[in-house]
C-alpha cells in the first residue's frame, strides 16, 4: 500500500460509484421529468419504487463490472492486491451505492430542468472528488477543513475501501462506515 497506484485504485472505485449514481440516476430522472416521461410511467401498472429500484440495480450492476475491470487491470499491470475481506468489500460497495442513490434521488426530486440539475450535480460531485482523498490525501488540509471533509460520504467510502483493500480489514472494521452510509 505504499505505491501511488495502491492509493489511487480504491479512490477511483469510490469515485466511480459516486459518478455512476449521481449522473446515472439523478440526471436520468431529471431528464425524464423534463421530457414529461415520468408522467407517462405513472399511468403504467409499474410502481414508482420498482422504477427507482431498477435504476439503482442497473447502476450497481454496471458499477460492479467497472470495479472488476479496474481491479483486474490493476492486478494485471501493477500487481494490485486486495488484502481484506471480499464480502466486506461487496457489502461496502452496496452501502456506497445506497448512499449515493439516495442523494441522487434527492437532487432529482428538487430540480425541474436539466440545466439546474447538472449544475447541482457538479456542485456536489466536484468538491467531493477533489477534497475527499481520491487523488491525494485530505490529511494535508487545515484541521477545520478535515473535520468537515471526514463527514462527507465520499470520504467515508474512500477511507473504508482503502481500509479493506490495503489494510486487510473485514466487516467489523468498516461496520460503522456502512451504518453511516445506510443512514
Amino acid at each position: 500500500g505504499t505505491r501511488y497506484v495502491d492509493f489511487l485504485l480504491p479512490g477511483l472505485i469510490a469515485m466511480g460509484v459516486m459518478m455512476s449514481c449521481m449522473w446515472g440516476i439523478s440526471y436520468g430522472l431529471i431528464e425524464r421529468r423534463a421530457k414529461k416521461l415520468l408522467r407517462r410511467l405513472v399511468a403504467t401498472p409499474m410502481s414508482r419504487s420498482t422504477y427507482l429500484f431498477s435504476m439503482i440495480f442497473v447502476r450497481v450492476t454496471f458499477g460492479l463490472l467497472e470495479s472488476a475491470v479496474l481491479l483486474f487491470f490493476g492486478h494485471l499491470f501493477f500487481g494490485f492486491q486486495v488484502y481484506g475481506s471480499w464480502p466486506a468489500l461487496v457489502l461496502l460497495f452496496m452501502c456506497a451505492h445506497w448512499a449515493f442513490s439516495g442523494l441522487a434521488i434527492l437532487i432529482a426530486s428538487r430540480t425541474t430542468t436539466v440545466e439546474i440539475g447538472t449544475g447541482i450535480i457538479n456542485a456536489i460531485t466536484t468538491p467531493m472528488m477533489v477534497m475527499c482523498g481520491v487523488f491525494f490525501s485530505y490529511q494535508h488540509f487545515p484541521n477545520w477543513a478535515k473535520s468537515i471533509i471526514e463527514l462527507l460520504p465520499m470520504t467515508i467510502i474512500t477511507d473504508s475501501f482503502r481500509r479493506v483493500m490495503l489494510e486487510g480489514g473485514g466487516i467489523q472494521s468498516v461496520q460503522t462506515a456502512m451504518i453511516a452510509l445506510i443512514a
Side-chain angles (χ1 to χ4, degrees):
T2 58
R3 304 174 304 164
Y4 181 67
V5 71
D6 295 331
F7 180 85
L8 181 65
L9 206 57
L12 287 177
I13 292 172
M15 187 179 74
V17 169
M18 177 183 68
M19 293 302 212
S20 175
C21 289
M22 297 301 285
W23 286 104
I25 296 172
S26 189
Y27 182 79
L29 286 173
I30 294 167
E31 184 181 35
R32 288 177 185 97
R33 180 187 295 138
K35 292 179 180 179
K36 308 277 192 244
L37 295 175
L38 290 181
R39 289 181 186 225
R40 292 181 185 178
L41 286 174
V42 172
T44 66
M46 179 177 56
S47 68
R48 294 174 184 169
S49 60
T50 302
Y51 180 70
L52 287 176
F53 282 119
S54 68
M55 292 185 77
I56 294 169
F57 178 76
V58 167
R59 292 292 116 205
V60 169
T61 303
F62 282 121
L64 283 171
L65 291 172
E66 292 168 0
S67 298
V69 168
L70 270 173
L71 289 172
F72 174 74
F73 281 105
H75 178 71
L76 186 66
F77 292 113
F78 300 107
F80 182 83
Q81 291 184 357
V82 175
Y83 294 102
S85 164
W86 282 97
L89 192 61
V90 171
L91 278 173
L92 185 61
F93 186 82
M94 298 301 288
C95 291
H97 267 85
W98 184 257
F100 278 118
S101 295
L103 187 58
I105 292 170
L106 176 68
I107 291 168
S109 68
R110 299 292 171 211
T111 57
T112 56
T113 64
V114 175
E115 293 81 12
I116 293 171
T118 56
I120 292 173
I121 293 169
N122 279 326
I124 290 173
T125 58
T126 303
M128 280 200 275
M129 191 170 48
V130 171
M131 293 187 304
C132 292
V134 173
F135 302 107
F136 53 88
S137 176
Y138 63 89
Q139 297 298 330
H140 301 292
F141 282 97
N143 286 333
W144 65 268
K146 277 196 294 190
S147 62
I148 296 169
I149 292 170
E150 288 172 346
L151 298 175
L152 297 173
M154 184 69 171
T155 307
I156 295 169
I157 294 165
T158 307
D159 287 348
S160 299
F161 276 159
R162 287 193 181 109
R163 192 171 302 121
V164 171
M165 290 182 186
L166 303 177
E167 298 172 11
I171 293 175
Q172 291 81 16
S173 67
V174 292
Q175 183 176 3
T176 306
M178 287 191 286
I179 292 169
L181 291 171
I182 290 172

